[in-house]
Amino acid sequence: MSVVTPLKTAAEQALSAQFAAAKAELPGALPVRKLREDAFAGFEAKGLPHRRLETWRYTDLRSLLREARPLADTAVVSDAVRARLAALALDGIRLVLVDGVFVPELSTLEGLPEGLAVHSLADALVAGREDIARVLSGPGIADADAGLMLNTALMRDGVFIEIAAGTELAAPIAIVSLASGADERAIFHRSVVLAGNGAKATVVEISESAGPAASQINGAIVFETGDESDVQHLRMVTRHVPETVQVQSLLATVGAQANFESFALVLNAGTLRQQYFVRYAGEHSSIGLRGVNLLGGSEHSDVTLVMDHEVPNGTSREMFKSIIGGEGTGVFQGKVIVRQHAQKTDGSMKSNALLLNDGATMFNKPELEIFADDVVCGHGATVAQIDGEQLFYLMARGLPRPQAEALVLQAFAGEAVEFVQDEALRDLVMGEIETWLSLREASSVVSAI
């Protein structure tokens, strides 16, 4: 019987050559090196994800990545990078990655609160911790994803955050990941947050580009939270060059009687695939995944998530709002799995999109896999245009159409934003949304003249 060997694309060939050349100097003790080797072997067997794979059918990475950019191995700390950092109005602890490399001199490392320890991921990989391979792997439901395999193989750095049991952090921890944009690079980074039993913390991720060159970015963050912990996560992916292609993954394992909330704001992100792999490790826990996508031009945002209820008495909520104009494309693929013994599960999943013109596109694919019989689970997905009656009501009171549309869209997005618990961060998110809407409003006024 003949064996059919699939042809590798130019990008896949380049990635194989890059891994072969870089693997000896990528950080990591022996267990990590084996993890990298196994991950890249899995990636080579699958290749770049493409539309024939059900979970990647709307984001064909094989077609998007015609060539693989050179791997970023150093941080280019340019004046543009420093200027962008200075413009960020963030209180609390700031941890800075530039081109995927941790930069201590730009970070806040002095006077850290008691119970909080911060390292570079590279140092943690080299230190040979016994738990490092387990922590990096995250939930098992993520093992087969080719995009994540590539991140595991080629991750160079990131931050490693440990929050001791019982520690309550008053100020957020901000992980600021900047692509220098000095030249076209491929950036691979991963961060880890370990929160002990009873810990309370807010982690903010900010992903931006400081320069004009487009990047290929593959980032991931891993959360492992203990029993009775309360961890809030905010991700903002903004201000990227339109040609940027990126995969951002979130992996979370949540303990018993715990709360984990994640919110993502996406605007001016180029082509973005956001992946969530979340698992319940204990009973009576609550998990929320929410976000707002603001798309224009030819931007593409794909939200794909797997929520795995492995134990009973879990509550999950997913809500994603998309506002799409121009030739933008939105994708929502949500899967909630309720295992056989996960009785008393309460799950709700919603995706709502507003299309601003005929060129905009939205794909919705919500799924429930339920193997238990005593559960309350549901999902819903809507795609619509702006409500004409709402517009008429506002315009009848003297508001110009662009301003009326902006108010309706702000209220639509705000339904998800209100779940951001930190007031200052909620205001930050709404400020970004209002700025995007005001620019659209001004553009609409110019077009009408």
Side-chain angles (χ1 to χ4, degrees):
M1 183 176 66
S2 61
V3 178
V4 177
T5 303
L7 294 176
K8 287 186 177 182
T9 66
E12 290 167 343
Q13 294 176 43
L15 287 166
S16 295
Q18 288 173 347
F19 180 71
K23 64 181 180 180
E25 53 91 19
L26 287 169
L30 185 59
V32 176
R33 292 187 182 280
K34 184 178 186 309
L35 191 68
R36 290 186 188 277
E37 293 276 4
D38 291 346
F40 198 80
F43 167 75
E44 282 204 304
K46 292 175 174 290
L48 287 167
H50 48 81
R51 69 185 62 187
R52 291 188 296 278
L53 297 175
E54 186 64 23
T55 55
W56 284 83
R57 64 180 298 186
Y58 303 111
T59 305
D60 191 335
L61 207 58
R62 182 174 291 177
S63 296
L64 289 167
L65 296 183
R66 295 295 185 180
E67 56 182 321
R69 303 300 184 196
L71 297 179
D73 56 1
T74 56
V76 180
V77 184
S78 61
D79 290 342
V81 167
R82 295 184 184 276
R84 188 59 216 142
L85 285 173
L88 291 175
L90 289 173
D91 296 327
I93 301 158
R94 186 173 70 181
L95 308 173
V96 179
L97 306 176
V98 178
D99 295 331
V101 177
F102 182 54
V103 186
E105 59 268 28
L106 298 179
S107 304
T108 307
L109 297 177
E110 296 182 358
L112 294 178
E114 185 177 353
L116 173 65
V118 176
H119 318 276
S120 77
L121 180 71
D123 289 345
L125 296 177
V126 172
R129 297 174 52 127
E130 291 184 0
D131 62 348
I132 192 69
R134 173 186 59 78
V135 169
L136 289 174
S137 297
I141 50 176
D143 290 347
D145 183 77
L148 194 61
M149 288 176 179
L150 197 56
N151 180 276
T152 300
L154 292 170
M155 60 182 175
R156 181 170 294 276
D157 206 352
V159 293
F160 197 99
I161 300 169
E162 294 179 279
I163 306 167
T167 300
E168 297 187 16
L169 299 179
I173 303 170
I175 304 171
V176 182
S177 180
L178 295 180
S180 65
D183 52 18
E184 295 184 342
R185 291 180 159 202
I187 299 168
F188 293 85
H189 62 85
R190 183 175 298 195
S191 293
V192 173
V193 180
L194 303 182
N197 293 343
K200 294 185 178 181
T202 298
V203 178
V204 180
E205 280 189 285
I206 295 179
S207 174
E208 296 185 359
S209 179
S215 302
Q216 295 172 352
I217 302 172
N218 189 323
I221 187 166
V222 182
F223 287 92
E224 190 172 289
T225 70
D227 297 346
E228 300 181 336
S229 61
D230 185 351
V231 175
Q232 306 291 313
H233 170 247
L234 169 65
R235 171 183 283 164
M236 298 175 64
V237 187
T238 64
R239 297 179 178 86
H240 281 281
V241 179
E243 294 77 21
T244 298
V245 177
Q246 51 187 321
V247 177
Q248 299 283 358
S249 302
L250 182 149
L251 302 88
T253 302
V254 180
Q257 297 179 323
N259 182 48
F260 178 80
E261 297 279 341
S262 178
F263 179 91
L265 174 66
V266 174
L267 60 93
N268 299 325
T271 296
L272 170 64
R273 157 92 168 195
Q274 283 195 97
Q275 309 191 119
Y276 297 82
F277 303 98
V278 183
R279 180 177 71 90
Y280 287 77
E283 296 187 37
H284 300 285
S285 290
S286 175
I287 299 176
L289 305 177
R290 299 176 177 90
V292 171
N293 299 289
L294 306 176
L295 308 178
S298 59
E299 292 169 345
H300 178 104
S301 177
D302 176 345
V303 175
T304 296
L305 67 88
V306 181
M307 179 75 73
D308 192 353
H309 288 265
E310 288 192 359
V311 297
N313 299 297
T315 300
S316 65
R317 296 289 184 267
E318 298 85 44
M319 175 193 290
F320 287 86
K321 301 275 190 172
S322 298
I323 301 173
I324 310 172
E327 300 293 324
T329 302
V331 178
F332 175 79
Q333 295 187 107
K335 177 184 288 188
V336 174
I337 304 172
V338 182
R339 306 290 179 180
Q340 185 174 0
H341 301 293
Q343 305 292 348
K344 304 294 183 181
T345 290
D346 181 353
S348 173
M349 178 168 53
K350 291 196 298 184
S351 168
N352 305 120
L354 288 179
L355 305 185
L356 304 181
N357 52 263
D358 292 340
T361 305
M362 182 71 196
F363 297 99
N364 279 313
K365 185 172 173 286
E367 296 179 71
L368 298 176
E369 290 188 3
I370 301 175
F371 303 98
D373 53 14
D374 187 5
V375 302
V376 178
C377 289
H379 64 70
T382 62
V383 180
Q385 296 177 324
I386 298 177
D387 190 319
E389 290 187 5
Q390 292 179 339
L391 284 181
F392 177 80
Y393 177 86
L394 294 171
M395 293 171 66
R397 279 149 181 80
L399 290 179
R401 183 182 180 92
Q403 189 176 349
E405 286 186 357
L407 286 175
V408 172
L409 296 174
Q410 182 178 329
F412 174 78
E415 186 181 356
V417 178
E418 68 182 16
F419 288 94
V420 178
Q421 292 189 8
D422 186 288
E423 184 177 357
L425 294 177
R426 189 166 62 247
D427 290 344
L428 176 64
V429 171
M430 283 307 302
E432 293 282 0
I433 292 173
E434 289 168 6
T435 299
W436 187 87
L437 290 173
S438 66
L439 291 174
R440 178 183 177 274
E441 179 184 341
S443 176
S444 298
V445 170
V446 171
S447 300
I449 296 175

